[in-house]
């Protein structure tokens, strides 16, 4: 990759195009080594899955009565990660937020691949995955139909709708940008982008329908994103289990999802900005605002933890109280306190404006948030299952190699897909950045002033 | 007299929009614009009504709700299973299915609507298209009689066009 | 899929061949009585001889539970139907009931106050209870509490 041409403090439309399109030039050996590494891990995880299908779920660490553990934790974790993308691309679009333009494409891409990762786990965890299509409602010769009273069926509808709608929304945003790439590309890439751009030329007729549809898609995606994690949370809240059966779950999970998702956006963007040489488009201003979202949702999540504890104490149900006592002080208590430190305490550092723009510190904090949010789901899902109503049925759980490798594989799958995307399609929306160029100029100027001081 | 095309490019959308207003007032020929960003100024200057794609999204949403009802009620009636004496139709869960399908079909109709209405996938390049119009220039392509060409050119230049080119059709 | 659902007879049924193995039912079961087939079950000889020909052969990835010997219930019901009569009380004998040396288990129709099971339940009003009744799961099983005299009390 050529050295990044320095943008002056007044970046023009052309500067934006150049910076973004330069990222899409052919990649070096290190990049392909990384891609190869990721997909090797995916292949290994695939092997473990094949073995699990062949010999049965006994190869996992799951034992009576812990029926759900790491797989469902990963599912909820990845669906949660997905949420920030739609928050940034749809909800903040409706709010006309200025700083979203530079980060939304990366966040939305993350959404697509995170949902694609999450969607694998309900399949991986099935006892008889070869019959998964029984969950689809279509006329069939078995005369069997899914039970629409089951939250798992709602989940299937919510997650597949989410994947489809975010993919469409993402594709729509990409079309004008790919048309730009088409103009700059040569060789097979030119053919590739010409096909993908589908003949976009930016005529007034095209923009007129495009803008309206984009607005409406954002309007549809907004309630959708809130509904998806609510539905996921109902998988638990609709069950009678102490530790799950709670009305606070939907907003609690949505806040947690946005919290972990925005943290993941920051985790990905900070190294990406350096590696792809787009420091001039992703300024401190953008990270400052993202960090504020993390801080806000961290406070909401902390509030939910406190409410949960209060409700348990106030309701006076001894079994519920026992479950929470186990959660806080039981054998897995350390996980709870890891979670509280990562999700409630460490993000408080973001109250400092200096830490919000210190990218190294910010990166470390968001890694902690990711760890904390993974543990949150694990504590809720597996933790609540180890001990509840019948003391004779209490047990514990230890993940097996299969589960660990499939989890690692899911991270590799996500990172591999994201890395592939980042070099082949515009990772920053040129169109939207141009629309908000005034704000970008201000941010770049501010960065320069700070750097000079 | 033969028809010719006059291609002019502008550095920003305000000038481009001004030229469109003048052009519409002068009532010469028909025109097409190219822009790197969706511009409200240009849209106002052209003055077309709101895109009908919103009705497509609405139709999609409504058909999604109807599909949701059809799927849930239909499958329940196909397999009338008395589960623990509960009523056959459970409305609260059906609302969730209807909502999800409303969003799904609304989005799909909207997406297909854009493609259909704006003529995508397009295999032909529109007259006067130039890669720079996707990058940083706003373009107007006017098709008019050769006799009106001078007037059009002066409108463009007075509105601040950077470049005005005449091309045979 | 209604693999697990309350039948019209009030049985908490588990239909194995409809089960895809999400294991959600076991998570929701407050009694944790369901058991999952973690592996493909093997029956090395002569254990294969103990398999009950009336019961579906189990497979990997399927949840199972006690169904009050649904095969015996079906058998008795079909008998009654062929003979064109109502089911008689005590006609259905579950395997555990049959095997219990102290006759601690009685099975019968809870809609019929005259059935042996209901009589036994109502005769012991002071000591009958249902497990986790406070969860409103309306379990079909009534247990009778052990009676003993506490030290120092009459």
């Amino acid at each position: 990759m050529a050295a990044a041409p320095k943008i002056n403090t007044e970046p023009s439309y052309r500067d934006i195009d150049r910076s973004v399109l330069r990222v899409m030039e052919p990649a070096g050996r290190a990049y392909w080594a990384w891609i190869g590494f990721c997909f090797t891990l995916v292949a290994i995880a695939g092997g473990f899955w094949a073995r699990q299908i062949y010999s049965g779920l006994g190869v996992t660490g799951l034992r009576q009565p812990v029926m759900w553990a790491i797989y469902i934790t990963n599912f909820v974790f990845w669906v949660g990660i997905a949420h920030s993308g739609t928050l940034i691309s749809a909800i903040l679009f409706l709010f006309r937020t200025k700083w979203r333009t530079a980060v939304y494409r990366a966040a939305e891409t993350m959404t697509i691949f995170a949902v694609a990762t999450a969607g694998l786990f309900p399949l991986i965890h099935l006892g008889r995955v070869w019959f998964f299509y029984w969950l689809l409602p279509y006329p069939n010769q078995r005369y069997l139909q899914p039970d629409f009273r089951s939250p798992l069926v709602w989940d299937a509808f919510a997650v597949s709708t989410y994947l489809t709608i975010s993919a469409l929304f993402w594709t729509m945003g990409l079309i004008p940008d790919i048309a730009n790439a088409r103009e700059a590309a040569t060789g097979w890439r030119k053919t590739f982008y010409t096909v993908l751009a589908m003949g976009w030329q930016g005529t007034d007729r095209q923009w007129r329908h495009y803008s309206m549809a984009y607005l409406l898609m954002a309007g549809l995606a907004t309630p959708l994103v809130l509904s998806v994690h609510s539905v996921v949370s109902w998988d638990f809240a609709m069950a009678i289990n102490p530790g799950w059966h709670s009305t606070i779950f939907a907003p609690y999970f949505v806040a947690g999802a946005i919290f972990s998702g925005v943290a993941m956006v920051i985790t990905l963007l900070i190294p990406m900005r350096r590696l792809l040489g787009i420091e001039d488009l992703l300024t401190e201003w953008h990270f400052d605002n993202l960090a504020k979202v993390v801080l806000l949702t961290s406070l909401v999540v902390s509030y939910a933890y406190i409410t949960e504890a209060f409700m348990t104490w106030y309701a006076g149900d001894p079994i519920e109280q026992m479950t929470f006592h186990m959660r806080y002080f039981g054998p897995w208590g350390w996980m709870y306190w890891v979670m509280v430190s990562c999700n409630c305490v460490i993000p408080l550092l973001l109250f400092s404006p200096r830490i919000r723009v210190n990218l190294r510190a910010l990166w470390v904090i968001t890694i902690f948030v990711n760890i904390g949010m993974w543990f949150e789901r694990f504590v809720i899902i597996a933790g609540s299952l180890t001990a509840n109503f019948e003391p004779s049925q209490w047990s514990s759980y230890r993940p097996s190699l299969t589960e660990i490798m499939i989890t690692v594989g899911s991270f590799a799958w996500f990172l591999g897909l994201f890395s592939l995307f980042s070099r082949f399609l515009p990772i920053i929306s040129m169109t939207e950045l141009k629309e908000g160029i005034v704000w970008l100029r201000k941010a770049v100027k501010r960065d320069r002033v700070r750097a000079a001081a | 007299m033969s028809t010719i095309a006059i291609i002019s490019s502008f550095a920003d959308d305000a000038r481009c929009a001004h030229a469109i207003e003048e052009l519409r007032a002068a009532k010469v020929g028909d025109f097409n614009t190219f822009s790197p960003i969706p511009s409200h100024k240009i849209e106002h200057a052209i003055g077309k009504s709101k895109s009908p794609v919103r009705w497509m999204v609405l139709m999609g949403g409504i058909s999604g709700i109807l599909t949701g009802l059809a799927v849930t009620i239909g499958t329940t009636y196909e397999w009338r299973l008395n589960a623990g004496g509960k009523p056959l139709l459970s409305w609260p869960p059906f609302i969730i299915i209807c909502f999800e399908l409303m969003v799904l079909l609304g989005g799909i109709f909207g997406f297909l609507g854009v493609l259909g209405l704006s003529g995508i996938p397009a295999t032909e390049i529109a007259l006067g298209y130039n890669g720079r119009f996707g990058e940083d220039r706003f373009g107007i392509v006017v098709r008019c009689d050769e006799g009106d060409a001078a007037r059009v050119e002066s409108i463009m230049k007075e509105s601040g066009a950077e470049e005005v080119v005449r091309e045979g059709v | 899929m209604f693999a697990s659902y309350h039948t019209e007879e009030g049985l908490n049924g588990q239909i194995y061949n409809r089960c895809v193995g999400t294991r959600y039912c076991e998570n929701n079961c407050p009694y944790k009585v369901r058991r999952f087939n973690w592996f493909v079950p093997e029956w090395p000889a002569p254990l294969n001889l103990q398999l009950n020909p009336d019961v579906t052969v189990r497979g990997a990835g399927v949840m199972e539970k006690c169904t009050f010997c649904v095969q015996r219930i079906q058998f008795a019901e079909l008998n009654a139907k062929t003979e064109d009569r109502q089911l008689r009380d005590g006609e259905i004998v579950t395997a555990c009931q049959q095997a219990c040396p102290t006759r601690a288990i009685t099975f019968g129709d809870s809609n019929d106050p005259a059935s042996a099971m209901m009589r036994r339940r109502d005769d012991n009003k002071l000591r009958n209870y249902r497990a986790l009744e406070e969860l409103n799961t309306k379990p079909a099983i009534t247990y009778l509490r052990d009676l003993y005299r506490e030290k120092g009390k009459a």
Side-chain angles (χ1 to χ4, degrees):
Chain A
M1 201 189 302
K6 281 292 162 212
I7 295 182
N8 52 22
T9 46
E10 287 273 307
S12 65
Y13 280 11
R14 178 168 262 201
D15 292 330
I16 290 173
D17 271 12
R18 272 199 204 136
S19 303
V20 177
L21 293 175
R22 198 171 32 74
V23 175
M24 292 158 65
E25 283 163 11
R29 232 178 252 166
Y31 172 79
W32 288 112
W34 163 247
I35 296 286
F37 173 71
C38 285
F39 285 100
T40 312
L41 284 180
V42 173
I44 294 172
F48 274 96
W49 187 19
R51 176 164 158 262
Q52 175 186 305
I53 293 172
Y54 182 74
S55 27
L57 274 171
V59 298
T60 62
L62 297 167
R63 289 295 175 266
Q64 179 77 18
V66 185
M67 291 286 150
W68 286 0
I70 279 194
Y71 290 155
I72 300 297
T73 302
N74 286 337
F75 167 69
V76 180
F77 177 77
W78 285 117
V79 175
I81 294 295
H83 275 57
S84 69
T86 319
L87 170 93
I88 294 173
S89 66
I91 299 183
L92 296 185
F93 175 76
L94 295 182
F95 280 115
R96 302 275 180 251
T97 311
K98 309 285 183 259
W99 56 268
R100 66 173 273 287
T101 52
V103 293
Y104 99 89
R105 174 68 47 71
E108 213 176 3
T109 308
M110 191 190 77
T111 293
I112 310 270
F113 296 138
V115 181
T117 313
L120 293 175
F121 279 101
L123 296 181
I124 293 173
H125 103 118
L126 276 190
R128 299 204 289 175
V129 65
W130 50 94
F131 289 140
F132 80 94
Y133 60 89
W134 286 6
L135 295 166
L136 306 175
Y138 66 97
N140 58 65
Q141 57 152 3
R142 304 182 302 279
Y143 291 103
L144 298 184
Q145 293 296 347
D147 178 3
F148 286 103
R149 293 185 193 96
S150 164
L152 300 188
V153 174
W154 312 344
D155 217 17
F157 273 80
V159 172
S160 49
T161 301
Y162 190 38
L163 181 61
T164 318
I165 291 299
S166 33
L168 288 181
F169 195 46
W170 177 74
T171 313
M172 260 187 81
L174 272 171
I175 291 174
D177 280 355
I178 294 178
N180 273 0
R182 172 189 66 196
E183 300 305 328
T186 51
W188 68 268
R189 282 161 185 267
K190 183 136 195 136
T191 323
F192 178 64
Y193 295 128
T194 307
V195 171
L196 285 188
M198 298 195 286
W200 178 269
Q201 290 154 37
T203 61
D204 55 277
R205 173 183 169 208
Q206 287 173 340
W207 281 123
R208 173 171 161 245
H209 302 303
Y210 177 91
S211 310
M212 173 59 75
Y214 202 77
L215 179 70
L216 291 173
M217 295 275 269
L220 284 172
T222 298
L224 176 68
V225 67
L226 299 180
S227 86
V228 170
H229 224 61
S230 302
V231 168
V232 169
S233 82
W234 291 336
D235 286 348
F236 308 105
M238 298 293 287
I240 203 170
N241 256 334
W244 286 10
H245 192 57
S246 161
T247 46
I248 197 185
F249 259 42
Y252 168 22
F253 268 49
V254 171
I258 292 170
F259 177 50
S260 65
V262 178
M264 186 60 110
V265 171
I266 299 177
T267 314
L268 291 175
L269 284 182
I270 290 177
M272 198 182 85
R273 168 182 189 266
R274 171 68 60 81
L275 291 172
L276 303 182
I278 43 178
E279 283 107 328
D280 285 310
L281 300 180
L282 287 173
T283 66
E284 287 179 353
W285 176 56
H286 297 111
F287 287 102
D288 186 37
N289 280 298
L290 284 168
K292 281 179 190 164
V293 179
V294 173
L295 178 60
L296 172 73
T297 44
S298 157
L299 296 176
V300 176
V301 168
S302 309
Y303 170 76
Y305 296 156
I306 295 167
T307 309
E308 218 177 22
F310 172 78
M311 290 304 288
T312 308
W313 168 75
Y314 190 70
D317 178 347
I319 296 174
E320 187 90 11
Q321 285 180 348
M322 180 277 299
T323 309
F324 276 81
H325 191 271
M326 290 282 278
R327 186 179 288 181
Y328 301 150
F329 309 111
W332 286 356
W334 62 272
M335 289 188 196
Y336 185 82
W337 298 108
V338 164
M339 168 195 121
V340 167
S341 355
C342 292
N343 293 352
C344 310
V345 182
I346 294 175
L348 293 180
L349 289 170
L350 298 175
F351 268 115
S352 150
R354 212 177 311 147
I355 291 179
R356 282 203 301 268
V357 295
N358 180 339
L359 297 189
R360 276 207 195 109
L362 191 58
W363 195 70
V364 174
I365 290 171
T366 57
I367 293 275
F368 274 120
V369 171
N370 287 323
I371 296 171
M373 284 309 290
W374 194 89
F375 271 112
E376 182 205 289
R377 274 66 176 256
F378 188 81
V379 162
I380 292 175
I381 294 167
S384 306
L385 290 174
T386 50
N388 52 46
F389 298 104
E390 290 286 358
S392 63
Q393 302 287 342
W394 289 6
S395 178
S396 191
Y397 163 81
R398 186 176 284 275
S400 75
L401 185 65
T402 309
E403 285 163 298
I404 293 171
M405 286 315 291
I406 288 181
T407 305
V408 170
S410 79
F411 277 85
W413 166 251
F414 170 78
L415 290 174
L417 287 176
F418 190 84
S419 311
L420 264 186
F421 170 86
S422 68
R423 294 301 301 268
F424 283 93
L425 291 168
I427 192 70
I428 288 184
S429 169
M430 293 174 262
T431 310
E432 294 221 15
L433 211 53
K434 287 174 191 169
E435 273 189 275
I437 198 159
V438 188
W439 304 94
L440 179 71
R441 283 180 183 154
K442 276 189 185 163
V444 170
K445 210 174 273 175
R446 223 174 298 147
D447 269 21
R448 287 295 138 80
V449 170
R450 192 174 286 142
Chain B
M1 281 224 259
S2 61
T3 309
I4 59 157
I6 297 162
I7 305 158
S8 17
S9 72
F10 296 83
D12 63 45
D13 56 345
R15 286 184 196 133
C16 182
H18 183 254
I20 293 167
E21 275 164 5
E22 295 287 314
L23 200 62
R24 286 185 65 208
K27 293 201 176 85
V28 276
D30 58 339
F31 65 93
N32 185 18
T33 70
F34 299 100
S35 58
I37 58 167
S39 161
H40 288 298
K41 286 174 192 156
I42 294 178
E43 220 176 308
H44 284 303
I46 292 173
K48 278 198 182 141
S49 59
K50 282 185 178 169
S51 162
V53 77
R54 45 201 184 123
W55 299 114
M56 296 193 170
V57 174
L58 181 68
M59 293 306 294
I62 292 172
S63 49
I65 294 174
L66 295 179
T67 313
L69 288 174
V71 164
T72 48
I73 298 175
T75 55
T76 314
Y77 272 96
E78 189 198 318
W79 189 21
R80 291 156 166 274
L81 191 66
N82 179 351
K86 277 177 269 190
L88 203 54
L89 301 177
S90 323
W91 295 104
F94 291 2
I95 293 171
I96 297 168
I97 305 294
C98 290
F99 170 79
E100 298 298 344
L101 287 176
M102 175 194 82
V103 173
L104 181 68
L105 289 193
I108 291 176
F109 274 46
F111 185 76
L112 295 180
V114 176
L115 296 193
L117 289 170
S118 49
I120 293 177
T123 46
E124 276 177 30
I125 295 173
L127 178 68
Y129 176 75
N130 177 333
R132 291 220 59 189
F133 293 148
E135 192 177 315
D136 60 351
R137 288 293 177 271
F138 297 79
I140 304 181
V141 178
V142 188
R143 284 158 64 102
C144 59
D145 284 340
E146 215 165 348
D148 291 330
R151 241 172 90 210
V152 171
E153 278 174 353
S154 73
I155 288 175
M156 294 300 160
K157 282 188 180 136
E158 273 162 32
S159 306
E162 290 182 324
E163 209 177 56
V164 181
V165 183
R166 226 185 249 218
E167 217 170 77
V169 182
Chain C
M1 285 309 298
F2 294 102
S4 172
Y5 83 112
H6 276 271
T7 66
E8 287 176 36
E9 292 166 358
L11 198 66
N12 193 345
Q14 177 74 7
I15 292 85
Y16 303 142
N17 46 10
R18 284 183 206 159
C19 177
V20 292
T22 63
R23 307 188 296 295
Y24 194 39
C25 56
E26 168 70 342
N27 285 341
N28 292 344
C29 178
Y31 308 95
K32 302 289 173 210
V33 292
R34 292 157 177 277
R35 289 294 180 273
F36 189 68
N37 284 311
W38 297 105
F39 291 107
V40 183
E42 283 169 21
W43 306 98
L47 288 178
N48 55 342
L49 298 176
Q50 73 170 13
L51 287 175
N52 185 343
D54 295 335
V55 182
T56 31
V57 179
R58 50 189 54 185
V62 169
M63 191 66 83
E64 297 192 4
K65 75 179 283 285
C66 162
T67 56
F68 290 106
C69 293
V70 71
Q71 74 281 8
R72 294 180 178 219
I73 297 176
Q74 289 290 329
F75 187 73
E77 280 176 353
L78 284 174
N79 257 352
K81 203 173 174 184
T82 18
E83 288 163 25
D84 197 20
R85 60 172 171 82
Q86 290 281 307
L87 262 179
R88 275 189 295 268
D89 184 35
E91 199 174 343
I92 303 169
V93 180
T94 63
C96 56
Q97 181 183 5
Q98 192 180 18
C100 180
T102 56
R103 296 279 170 267
I105 298 166
T106 320
F107 184 87
D109 183 359
S110 57
N111 280 337
D112 174 13
S115 71
M117 188 273 286
M118 284 305 277
R119 265 185 284 120
R120 198 168 174 194
R121 186 161 101 184
D122 293 339
D123 289 350
N124 293 289
K125 275 206 172 108
L126 287 177
R127 64 188 190 108
N128 77 30
Y129 71 97
R130 290 149 192 231
L132 299 178
E133 201 173 5
E134 69 275 15
L135 295 176
N136 201 22
T137 52
K138 299 185 180 163
I141 303 176
T142 307
Y143 294 92
L144 299 182
R145 192 177 185 278
D146 190 11
L147 280 187
Y148 55 89
R149 179 181 290 175
E150 275 183 44
K151 214 175 181 183
K153 293 199 178 165

